Amino acid sequence: MTFSTATHGADLSITLASQPVFELSSSTPVSRRLRRSIRRTGDRSPFERKTLGLEDLTRIDALTLQHGLDLLRLGPGDSGVLPAFWRSLTEGRNAYALLCAEAQHSLRPDSLLVEVVGGPEHVRPEAVNDMADRFALASRGLILHIAPDVDTALGLRGARLSCLAIDFAGVAHQGARDWQAAVDLIAAARAACAQILLLNLRPERALGAQAAGATHAVFCALEPRTV
């Protein structure tokens, strides 16, 4: 699903795609995650800001919520994962607007988790705990999307989180030597949180990822090879 929005001086095209989330212990899909990609379109204004402002981020999240729920179409027993920017949830005047709007559409209080992106790994665990407590009051699960870095993961020990998400698209994990570094990253994340979601994991690494401590995965699509 693709939709558009305008910011100060720029037009944006936002695409959402639904991906199955697999539980590694059972090798079965247990949820659906929305992958979000944002790109600029049209002619750029000379007055265009280099980065998106808080108002822009909040608007993008609100539209993602609106269109994402239509795309997920959660039924009884289903669960989904929606992305949201850290700043739009913590700095916006209507930080709870997303949760309230989502609650009106959700069939169960625990049927939707929010994957927070955009720099939350750079804040102190106390700030993460404050956000996690707010989500708990609304019966929402919080997934923290962090950079693929061992020190970043270890720095979140003590934070009360439902899940940590790491994008393995930027992590070399095909060869044996690369995989050992990936195992260290997974172990560091598991030391900070009981549930670890690996995004863009190569399917052949599923068993190894589970052994290292990962609990869930969204697998990457491998390009076909001709021999």
Side-chain angles (χ1 to χ4, degrees):
M1 175 183 291
T2 298
F3 56 93
S4 300
T5 187
T7 66
H8 295 283
D11 294 328
L12 300 178
S13 177
I14 303 166
T15 299
L16 304 176
S18 177
Q19 304 173 303
V21 178
F22 285 83
E23 182 182 61
L24 292 178
S25 62
S26 61
S27 300
T28 57
V30 294
S31 182
R32 292 196 299 275
R33 171 185 180 265
L34 287 186
R35 181 187 65 197
R36 179 171 63 185
S37 59
I38 303 172
R39 64 184 182 89
R40 298 178 186 270
T41 60
D43 297 330
R44 296 193 178 187
S45 165
F47 304 105
E48 176 187 344
R49 291 190 301 231
K50 293 183 178 180
T51 59
L52 296 176
L54 177 60
E55 180 182 348
D56 301 325
L57 299 179
T58 302
R59 184 187 306 114
I60 292 171
D61 278 346
L63 290 171
T64 297
L65 177 66
Q66 174 188 344
H67 295 292
L69 288 173
D70 292 338
L71 181 60
L72 287 174
R73 295 183 180 179
L74 299 178
D78 295 336
S79 67
V81 179
L82 277 172
F85 292 108
W86 173 264
R87 288 189 61 202
S88 69
L89 293 179
T90 57
E91 299 179 27
R93 294 181 179 179
N94 300 318
Y96 289 98
L98 290 173
L99 297 177
C100 293
E102 171 264 314
Q104 296 175 0
H105 294 80
S106 181
L107 299 178
R108 297 193 329 273
D110 60 345
S111 63
L112 204 67
L113 294 91
V114 178
E115 181 182 344
V116 186
V117 299
E121 68 269 21
H122 300 303
V123 301
R124 297 178 60 84
E126 292 79 6
V128 177
N129 286 339
D130 179 65
M131 176 56 67
D133 290 342
R134 296 181 189 181
F135 272 67
L137 290 174
S139 299
R140 302 300 163 198
L142 179 67
I143 299 177
L144 201 64
H145 187 122
I146 66 171
D149 178 74
V150 169
D151 291 337
T152 296
L154 292 176
L156 289 169
R157 286 180 297 185
R160 294 187 295 273
L161 296 170
S162 301
C163 181
L164 278 180
I166 301 176
D167 192 348
F168 262 46
V171 177
H173 62 287
Q174 183 172 3
R177 181 174 299 179
D178 294 333
W179 179 243
Q180 183 54 54
V183 166
D184 294 340
L185 174 60
I186 297 171
R190 186 59 187 267
C193 187
Q195 294 191 89
I196 307 299
L197 169 61
L198 302 182
L199 309 174
N200 293 303
L201 179 71
R202 295 182 66 86
E204 68 270 20
R205 290 299 187 185
L207 291 178
Q210 182 191 359
T215 56
H216 299 80
V218 173
F219 294 110
C220 67
L222 300 180
E223 294 295 330
R225 294 181 179 180
T226 302
V227 179

